[in-house]
C-alpha cells in the first residue's frame, strides 16, 4: 500500500505502453521480491505466535437435568449450574448461589495478584468488577473452597468477551516508519512527475519525438525512485526481527522492529510484568522486633527465636495448602514454591521451609482433627490440632478481627496480657505494613479444652505476617536503562493504590517523587474532551491504580494524541485493548494470557522486562541504519536524475536508458545499501534521548548530504560522458557505456562517504563492516558481467567502449570519493548542512530541495 510501490507500478505501466516489456518485467520482479520477503518473514512470526497458544480443551462440571455431568466449556448455556472446587478454572460468568469459603484468583481480569473472597450475598449493581464478591468470572481460577453458580453470560457476553471486543475495536495506528516512508514516497511522486514533465517539455521544444520523450520521462521516473528502498528496508527489518527473536523478543510484524526504537513512553502493567505474580512472605512482625525473610530465609541470629518458631508453626498448621517442591527462577533468583492451594498459604509453608522448619514434619507432629472454615464475617479461619499432651487451635486472618479477639500476646518471656495500648500498637503496625503494599495476616493460637471450644476467644497473638508479590529482580536496572535512554515509564494496574505505589517505588518509576491516580477519578474520562488542567494532571501521573480495561485504552489514546509513541506491556486479559491500541503492544509469553498475546505486536518469551530495553536498542540501530542507506540510495538516484536531466537540457543524447538505470538501482545500489543496514550500531545508542516522533527519515542535514554527494557523482559521470562523446568523439552508444560504468563505480565508492564525519578515513563503521566488502565485490562482478557478457550487454544496450573508455570511466568514478573524503575531513558537509538548516528552515512539513 506504500506510495513507493504504487510509483513502481505506475512506471511498469508506462513501460508497457511504450513497448518496453523488459523494463516492466524488471520492475514487477522488484515488487514481487519485496512482497515475498515481507510475507515470508511475517508468516514465520505468525507461526511462532501460534505455537505459544494453549490448545487444550477445558472441561467443566455442571448440574443439568437433575444430574451432575462433565461437558466442554463451549457447551455451557444460560441457566446451567456450574460446580466449583479448588483448582477449577471458571468457564463462564456465574452468579454464585452457594459458597463455602471460596477464594478466586481474578488477576487475569483485574490485575490484582492476591485471591479475593467470594460469597453468595447480593452486591450493589454499580459495584466495580474487582469488588463483586457474588460473581465468578470466566478466566478466573478457584484457589480455595467450593460452591455452585448459575451461568449468566457466555462467550462474547462475558467480561472476558467484552474485553476481547474492546481489543478488537482498538485500532492500531500506522507505525512511525510506515508514516515516514509514505511521506518520503509522496514527495518523490511529485518530484518525479515534475521532473518528467519539465524534461519532456524541453525535449518537445527542441524538436524531439514524443515517443523518445516518453521514454526519457520513464528514465527519469525510474531514476528518481529508489526501487531498492522497499526491498532493503524490508530486508533490514526482517534481519532485526530475527535478531530480536534470538533475544527472546518475538515480533508479529516487520514495521514493529523500527517502532521499538521510536518509543518515547512505556506503559507497563504491574502484576506479572514488574512483579513475579506470586505471593511470598517478606516479613514477620513480632512483639518487639521485625524479621525480614530474604531468598535464603531469616537472619541466622533469630532462626531459633521461640516467637518466630511459633509464627511459622501457626502458618503451617492453619492451612489447607500442600507444598510439593520449589523451582529456581533464572530471571529472578529466588526459588518459587510449587504446590496446591491458596497462594498465601503456600507462601506461609514456603517461609517455614526457608527457615529450616519442614512443613510436613510440623503437620505430622500435630495432625489436624478439625477445621473451622474461613468465616467471611470474621475474615479468619482456624484449625484444631492434636499434640503430644493437649489440643491446640491455630488461627490466621485479618488483623482487625484477630487482634480484637486476643487476650494475650507472645513476648520474649512467654505469653503475657495484651493491654489496650499494645492492641492499638499492633493494629497501627498492621496499617503501616498495608500502607507499604503488604497483605497482612494476624497469627494466633491457644490451648483448646475440646472440639467444641470457641476457636476465636481467649487467643494469644503471635505476630503479623506481611506478604507481597515481589518485584522481579531485573526490573529496577531495566527501568534505570529506560530513564538513561530518555524514556518515561508509567504503571497501569488494577491493584490497590498503596500496593502499586510501593512497587513503583521499588522499581524506580518516576525517578523520585511520583503521583498516583486511582481509577475511580477517571470513571468518565474522555481523551478528546478532557480539560487542560485535568489533562496535565493525568499526563504528569506516574502510577494509575484500580484502572479498568476501558481506562487503560483511553489513557493510551490520550498519550497518542499528545504525540507519544507508546510501548504497552501486559500479560492479562484486561491489558488486551490497550495492547492493541498502543504503537507497540508487548505481552509476556510465559505468564501472559492467550488474549494478551494475540493482541500484542511483540511477545517476550522469557517474560523479562530487560528484553524490552534490548528490543528498543535494536529498533534505534535499525532506524539509524535505514537513514544511512536512504541517504546512500537517494544520493545515487539524484545523480541519475541530474545526469539525464542536464544532458537533455543541454541538447545531448540521454546518457542512460531506463533499463540501465533500473539495473543500477536494483543491482549496484541494493547490495551496498543492505550492507549499510547490517551495521551493529553505536555503543551509545541507548544513552541519547529518543528522536522526536515525527522526525523525518531525511531531515535538512541529510537532504544537504544527499545533494552534495549526488552532485559530485553527477559531475564525475557527465564529465566522463562529455570527454568520451565530445573530446574523444566516440559514438553515442559507446559514450553511454562509459557513463554507465563511471556512474556504477562512483555509486559503489560512494558508500565510503557515509561514514561519521568524526571517524577515521581508514578505520570507521563502514570499513569495519564485513558486509560492505562482500557487497562491493559482488557489485564489481555484476558490473563487469554487464559489460563483458554479451547477452546481458545486448539487453542493456552497452556496446564495448574500448579499454581507454573503461579506464576513463574508472578515473572519473574516483573523483566523488576523493572530494567527498576531503569535505568530510574538513567538516564542510556539516557546515553546509547547518547553513541549509538555518537558511532554508527545512522541517517535517517542508519540501525537499529541488534538483
Amino acid at each position: 500500500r506504500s506510495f513507493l510501490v504504487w510509483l513502481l507500478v505506475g512506471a511498469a505501466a508506462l513501460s508497457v505502453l511504450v513497448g518496453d516489456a523488459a523494463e516492466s518485467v524488471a520492475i514487477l520482479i522488484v515488487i514481487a521480491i519485496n512482497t515475498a520477503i515481507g510475507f515470508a518473514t511475517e508468516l514465520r512470526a505468525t507461526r511462532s505466535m501460534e505455537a505459544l497458544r494453549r490448545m487444550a480443551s477445558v472441561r467443566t462440571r455442571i448440574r443439568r437435568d437433575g444430574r451432575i455431568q462433565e461437558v466442554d466449556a463451549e457447551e455451557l448455556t444460560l441457566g446451567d449450574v456450574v460446580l466449583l472446587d479448588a483448582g477449577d478454572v471458571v468457564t463462564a460468568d456465574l452468579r454464585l448461589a452457594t459458597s463455602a469459603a471460596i477464594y478466586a484468583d481474578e488477576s487475569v481480569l483485574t490485575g490484582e495478584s492476591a485471591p479475593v473472597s467470594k460469597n453468595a450475598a447480593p452486591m450493589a449493581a454499580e459495584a466495580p468488577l474487582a469488588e463483586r464478591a457474588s460473581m465468578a468470572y470466566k478466566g478466573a481460577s478457584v484457589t480455595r473452597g467450593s460452591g455452585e453458580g448459575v451461568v449468566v453470560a457466555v462467550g462474547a457476553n462475558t467480561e472476558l468477551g467484552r474485553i476481547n471486543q474492546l481489543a478488537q475495536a482498538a485500532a492500531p495506528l500506522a507505525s512511525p516508519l510506515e508514516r515516514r516512508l509514505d511521506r518520503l514516497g509522496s514527495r518523490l511522486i511529485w518530484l518525479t512527475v515534475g521532473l518528467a514533465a519539465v524534461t519532456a517539455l524541453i525535449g518537445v521544444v527542441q524538436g524531439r519525438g514524443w515517443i523518445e520523450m516518453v521514454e526519457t520521462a520513464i528514465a527519469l521516473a525510474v531514476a528518481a525512485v529508489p526501487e531498492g528502498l522497499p526491498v532493503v528496508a524490508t530486508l533490514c527489518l526482517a534481519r532485526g526481527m530475527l535478531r530480536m527473536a534470538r533475544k527472546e523478543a518475538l515480533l508479529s510484524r516487520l514495521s514493529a522492529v523500527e517502532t521499538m526504537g521510536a518509543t518515547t513512553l512505556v506503559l507497563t502493567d504491574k502484576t506479572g510484568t514488574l512483579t513475579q505474580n506470586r505471593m511470598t512472605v517478606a516479613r514477620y512482625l513480632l512483639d518487639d522486633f521485625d524479621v525480614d525473610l530474604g531468598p535464603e530465609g531469616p537472619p541466622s541470629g533469630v532462626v531459633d527465636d521461640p516467637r518466630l518458631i511459633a509464627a511459622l508453626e501457626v502458618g503451617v498448621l492453619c492451612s489447607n495448602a500442600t507444598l510439593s517442591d520449589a523451582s529456581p527462577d533464572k530471571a529472578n533468583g529466588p526459588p518459587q514454591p510449587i504446590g496446591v492451594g491458596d497462594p498465601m498459604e503456600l507462601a506461609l509453608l514456603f517461609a517455614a521451609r526457608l527457615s529450616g522448619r519442614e512443613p510436613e514434619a510440623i503437620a505430622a507432629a500435630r495432625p489436624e482433627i478439625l477445621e473451622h472454615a474461613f468465616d467471611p464475617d470474621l475474615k479468619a479461619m482456624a484449625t484444631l490440632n492434636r499434640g503430644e499432651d493437649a489440643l491446640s487451635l491455630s488461627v490466621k486472618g485479618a488483623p482487625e478481627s484477630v487482634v480484637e479477639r486476643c487476650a494475650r500476646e507472645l513476648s520474649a518471656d512467654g505469653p503475657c496480657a495484651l493491654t489496650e495500648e499494645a492492641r492499638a500498637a499492633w493494629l497501627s503496625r498492621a496499617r503501616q505494613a498495608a500502607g507499604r503494599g503488604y497483605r497482612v495476616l494476624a497469627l494466633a493460637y491457644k490451648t483448646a479444652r475440646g472440639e467444641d471450644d470457641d476457636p476465636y476467644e481467649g487467643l494469644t497473638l503471635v505476630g503479623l505476617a506481611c506478604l507481597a508479590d515481589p518485584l522481579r529482580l531485573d526490573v529496577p536496572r531495566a527501568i534505570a536503562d529506560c530513564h538513561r535512554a530518555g524514556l518515561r515509564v508509567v504503571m497501569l494496574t488494577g491493584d490497590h493504590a498503596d500496593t502499586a505505589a510501593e512497587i513503583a517505588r521499588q522499581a524506580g518509576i518516576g525517578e523520585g517523587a511520583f503521583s498516583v491516580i486511582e481509577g475511580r477519578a477517571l470513571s468518565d474520562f474522555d481523551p478528546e474532551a478532557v480539560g487542560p488542567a485535568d489533562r496535565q494532571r493525568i499526563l504528569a501521573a506516574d502510577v494509575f491504580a484500580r484502572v479498568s480495561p476501558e481506562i487503560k485504552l483511553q489513557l493510551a489514546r490520550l498519550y497518542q494524541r499528545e504525540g507519544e509513541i507508546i510501548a504497552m506491556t501486559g500479560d492479562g486479559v484486561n491489558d488486551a485493548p490497550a495492547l492493541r491500541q498502543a504503537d507497540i503492544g508487548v505481552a509476556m509469553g510465559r505468564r501472559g494470557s492467550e488474549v494478551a498475546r494475540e493482541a500484542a505486536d511483540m511477545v517476550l518469551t522469557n517474560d523479562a522486562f530487560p528484553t524490552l530495553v534490548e528490543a528498543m536498542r535494536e529498533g534505534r540501530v535499525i532506524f539509524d541504519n535505514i537513514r544511512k542507506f536512504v541517504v546512500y540510495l537517494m544520493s545515487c538516484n539524484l545523480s541519475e536524475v541530474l545526469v539525464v536531466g542536464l544532458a537533455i537540457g543541454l541538447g545531448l543524447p540521454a546518457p542512460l536508458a531506463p533499463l540501465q538505470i533500473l539495473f543500477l538501482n536494483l543491482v549496484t545500489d541494493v547490495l551496498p545499501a543492505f550492507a549499510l543496514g547490517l551495521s551493529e550500531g553505536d555503543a551509545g545508542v541507548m544513552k541519547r534521548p529518543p528522536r522526536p516522533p515525527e522526525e523525518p527519515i531525511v531531515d535538512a542535514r541529510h537532504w544537504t548530504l544527499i545533494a552534495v554527494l549526488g552532485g559530485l557523482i553527477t559531475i564525475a559521470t557527465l564529465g566522463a560522458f562529455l570527454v568520451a562523446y565530445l573530446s574523444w568523439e566516440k559514438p553515442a552508444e559507446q559514450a553511454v557505456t562509459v557513463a554507465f560504468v563511471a556512474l556504477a563505480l562512483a555509486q559503489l565508492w560512494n558508500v565510503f562517504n557515509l561514514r561519521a564525519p568524526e571517524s577515521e578515513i581508514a578505520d570507521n563503521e563502514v570499513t569495519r563492516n564485513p558486509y560492505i566488502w562482500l557487497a562491493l565485490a559482488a557489485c564489481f562482478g555484476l558490473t563487469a558481467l554487464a559489460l563483458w557478457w554479451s547477452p546481458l550487454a545486448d539487453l542493456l544496450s552497452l556496446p564495448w567502449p574500448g579499454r581507454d573508455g573503461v579506464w576513463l570511466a574508472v578515473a572519473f568514478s574516483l573523483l566523488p570519493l576523493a572530494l567527498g573524503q576531503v569535505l568530510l575531513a574538513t567538516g564542510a558537509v556539516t557546515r553546509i548542512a547547518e547553513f541549509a538548516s538555518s537558511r532554508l528552515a527545512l522541517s517535517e512539513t517542508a519540501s525537499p530541495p529541488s534538483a
Side-chain angles (χ1 to χ4, degrees):
R1 292 194 298 268
S2 72
F3 282 109
L4 287 174
V5 170
W6 283 111
L7 196 55
L8 291 178
V9 171
L14 281 175
S15 298
V16 171
L17 288 177
V18 299
D20 291 329
E23 293 170 14
S24 178
V25 170
I27 294 174
L28 292 175
I29 288 174
V30 175
I31 298 172
I33 291 173
N34 182 64
T35 304
I37 294 169
F39 173 78
T41 306
E42 293 194 355
L43 179 66
R44 175 175 177 176
T46 301
R47 292 291 177 261
S48 299
M49 288 287 189
E50 290 172 354
L52 289 173
R53 299 179 59 183
R54 299 189 298 272
M55 304 301 293
S57 177
V58 178
R59 305 276 291 177
T60 189
R61 290 189 308 134
I62 66 171
R63 182 183 293 112
R64 183 186 288 173
D65 299 329
R67 62 187 180 88
I68 295 177
Q69 52 188 295
E70 190 175 81
V71 299
D72 287 336
E74 57 264 29
E75 295 179 16
L76 287 175
T77 188
L78 300 182
D80 275 335
V81 177
V82 176
L83 281 61
L84 298 175
D85 280 306
D88 288 348
V89 174
V90 182
T91 51
D93 284 1
L94 310 176
R95 172 61 167 88
L96 294 178
T98 66
S99 170
I102 286 185
Y103 270 70
D105 180 354
E106 295 181 340
S107 60
V108 72
L109 285 167
T110 65
E112 187 170 350
S113 54
V116 292
S117 175
K118 296 291 181 180
N119 60 69
M123 295 291 299
E126 63 274 11
L129 186 146
E131 298 175 9
R132 297 174 193 169
S134 58
M135 293 292 296
Y137 290 105
K138 178 179 173 67
S141 57
V142 179
T143 62
R144 186 170 67 186
S146 61
E148 298 180 1
V150 180
V151 176
V152 296
V154 296
N157 294 322
T158 63
E159 286 293 323
L160 195 72
R162 186 180 61 82
I163 294 174
N164 190 54
Q165 289 175 322
L166 276 177
Q168 296 300 321
L173 304 176
S175 74
L177 180 63
E178 290 168 335
R179 296 198 293 269
R180 291 182 176 104
L181 287 177
D182 276 351
R183 282 196 296 270
L184 181 61
S186 63
R187 290 173 179 177
L188 288 175
I189 286 178
W190 294 111
L191 178 64
T192 302
V193 171
L195 284 171
V198 170
T199 305
L201 182 62
I202 292 175
V204 171
V205 170
Q206 292 175 345
R208 304 192 185 198
W210 71 271
I211 293 181
E212 178 187 357
M213 286 298 93
V214 169
E215 291 179 341
T216 302
I218 293 175
L220 281 173
V222 172
V225 180
E227 289 85 355
L229 179 56
V231 177
V232 175
T234 303
L235 283 170
C236 288
L237 291 174
R239 182 175 181 270
M241 201 174 192
L242 295 176
R243 285 177 61 174
M244 288 187 186
R246 295 189 193 105
K247 296 177 180 178
E248 301 190 87
L250 189 62
L251 288 149
S252 62
R253 56 187 174 92
L254 282 177
S255 58
V257 178
E258 187 275 336
T259 307
M260 287 304 304
T263 299
T264 60
L265 174 68
V266 179
L267 300 179
T268 178
D269 183 35
K270 178 187 74 68
T271 306
T273 305
L274 301 181
T275 67
Q276 300 173 29
N277 197 20
R278 66 180 180 89
M279 298 305 294
T280 183
V281 179
R283 173 176 296 181
Y284 284 101
L285 307 183
L286 303 176
D287 71 322
D288 58 359
F289 71 104
D290 301 345
V291 179
D292 290 321
L293 267 67
E296 306 300 326
S300 57
V302 298
V303 170
D304 297 323
D305 189 286
R307 291 161 291 180
L308 177 60
I309 294 174
L312 295 171
E313 289 182 348
V314 170
V316 170
L317 296 174
C318 190
S319 172
N320 287 314
T322 302
L323 184 66
S324 58
D325 198 359
S327 66
D329 185 334
K330 294 181 180 179
N332 295 291
Q336 299 191 48
I338 298 176
V340 179
D342 186 277
M344 287 191 286
E345 292 188 347
L346 283 172
L348 291 169
L349 298 181
F350 191 57
R353 177 171 291 178
L354 282 177
S355 303
R357 309 279 170 176
E358 282 299 325
E360 296 83 359
I362 295 173
R366 298 163 69 181
E368 179 183 312
I369 60 175
L370 178 65
E371 176 184 327
H372 296 273
F374 180 82
D375 187 324
D377 295 325
L378 292 176
K379 297 182 180 178
M381 70 167 289
T383 58
L384 181 66
N385 300 86
R386 186 184 303 279
E388 293 183 2
D389 303 323
L391 298 177
S392 65
L393 277 159
S394 299
V395 178
K396 76 173 188 295
E400 60 271 20
S401 296
V402 175
V403 173
E404 289 298 329
R405 286 164 176 78
C406 290
R408 295 183 295 177
E409 63 177 333
L410 184 61
S411 67
D413 299 324
C416 63
L418 181 63
T419 65
E420 288 303 318
E421 183 180 354
R423 195 187 311 275
W426 278 108
L427 293 175
S428 175
R429 293 172 74 185
R431 285 192 296 270
Q432 291 174 3
R436 295 185 59 189
Y438 291 120
R439 298 189 179 275
V440 185
L441 288 176
L443 305 172
Y445 74 96
K446 78 171 184 175
T447 301
R449 294 186 296 270
E451 293 186 10
D452 57 351
D453 195 0
D454 187 336
Y456 303 116
E457 292 295 334
L459 297 172
T460 298
L461 181 62
V462 176
L464 304 175
C466 301
L467 298 99
D469 181 4
L471 187 74
R472 295 173 62 92
L473 298 183
D474 51 11
V475 163
R477 179 175 58 83
I479 298 289
D481 289 342
C482 288
H483 291 160
R484 277 193 293 272
L487 298 166
R488 186 166 172 242
V489 181
V490 174
M491 180 197 293
L492 309 181
T493 180
D495 217 332
H496 293 282
D498 290 339
T499 304
E502 178 62 21
I503 291 297
R505 189 175 295 108
Q506 294 175 18
I509 291 176
E511 299 183 277
F514 56 87
S515 61
V516 181
I517 295 179
E518 290 203 55
R520 64 171 63 95
L522 302 173
S523 57
D524 55 352
F525 169 56
D526 183 351
E528 297 183 4
V530 63
D534 287 338
R535 180 189 300 270
Q536 290 304 316
R537 180 176 60 88
I538 293 170
L539 294 175
D542 298 292
V543 177
F544 294 89
R546 285 297 195 193
V547 290
S548 65
E550 292 90 344
I551 293 176
K552 289 185 179 183
L553 180 61
Q554 298 289 42
L555 285 171
R557 288 171 173 165
L558 175 64
Y559 284 116
Q560 286 174 329
R561 287 175 61 87
E562 294 296 315
E564 302 279 5
I565 303 297
I566 300 171
M568 167 74 189
T569 73
D571 62 351
V573 176
N574 60 325
D575 299 316
L579 287 174
R580 186 171 174 84
Q581 176 69 37
D583 298 281
I584 286 289
V586 184
M588 302 296 143
R590 293 179 185 173
R591 295 184 176 92
S593 66
E594 182 178 330
V595 175
R597 291 197 297 265
E598 290 293 329
D601 303 294
M602 183 168 77
V603 174
L604 304 182
T605 56
N606 59 359
D607 282 11
F609 195 83
T611 303
L612 179 65
V613 182
E614 284 294 318
M616 290 178 185
R617 182 192 183 279
E618 186 70 27
R620 290 189 178 192
V621 170
I622 288 290
F623 182 81
D624 289 348
N625 292 343
I626 287 176
R627 171 173 275 173
K628 194 176 296 183
F629 69 63
V630 165
V631 170
Y632 171 77
L633 289 173
M634 293 291 292
S635 61
C636 293
N637 282 60
L638 176 62
S639 65
E640 295 163 3
V641 171
L642 291 176
V643 165
V644 174
L646 289 175
I648 295 298
L650 294 173
L652 299 171
L656 295 168
L659 199 57
Q660 295 168 354
I661 296 174
L662 198 60
F663 179 87
L664 291 173
N665 288 354
L666 297 181
V667 178
T668 59
D669 285 0
V670 166
L671 292 179
F674 184 47
L676 286 171
L678 298 181
S679 171
E680 295 297 324
D682 180 12
V685 70
M686 288 300 287
K687 294 181 180 178
R688 63 179 189 235
R691 60 185 178 275
E694 295 305 315
E695 180 181 291
I697 293 177
V698 183
D699 57 14
R701 177 182 178 278
H702 295 95
W703 277 118
T704 305
L705 186 59
I706 289 170
V708 170
L709 297 179
L712 293 177
I713 297 173
T714 301
I715 292 171
T717 304
L718 275 179
F721 177 74
L722 291 173
V723 169
Y725 183 63
L726 297 179
S727 297
W728 293 5
E729 298 182 349
K730 285 183 177 289
E733 294 81 4
Q734 292 186 8
V736 166
T737 303
V738 172
F740 174 85
V741 175
L743 181 59
L745 297 181
Q747 290 181 348
L748 294 180
W749 303 129
N750 188 43
V751 74
F752 296 107
N753 289 329
L754 272 295
R755 68 177 176 86
E758 66 277 4
S759 61
E760 299 292 332
I761 293 179
D763 183 19
N764 53 67
E765 67 274 19
V766 177
T767 59
R768 288 194 299 268
N769 186 344
Y771 298 105
I772 290 291
W773 299 104
L774 290 174
L776 291 180
C779 290
F780 283 133
L782 291 169
T783 303
L785 194 68
L787 196 60
W788 286 312
W789 189 42
S790 297
L792 184 57
D794 293 341
L795 178 65
L796 297 176
S797 302
L798 292 174
W800 175 248
R803 283 188 178 180
D804 56 344
V806 173
W807 285 113
L808 175 67
V810 171
F812 270 88
S813 74
L814 291 170
L815 288 177
L817 174 62
L819 293 175
Q821 292 300 313
V822 171
L823 292 175
L824 285 172
T826 59
V829 172
T830 301
R831 287 195 294 273
I832 293 173
E834 291 174 350
F835 176 81
S837 298
S838 61
R839 297 297 181 184
L840 299 177
L842 285 174
S843 64
E844 176 62 28
T845 57
S847 301
S850 65

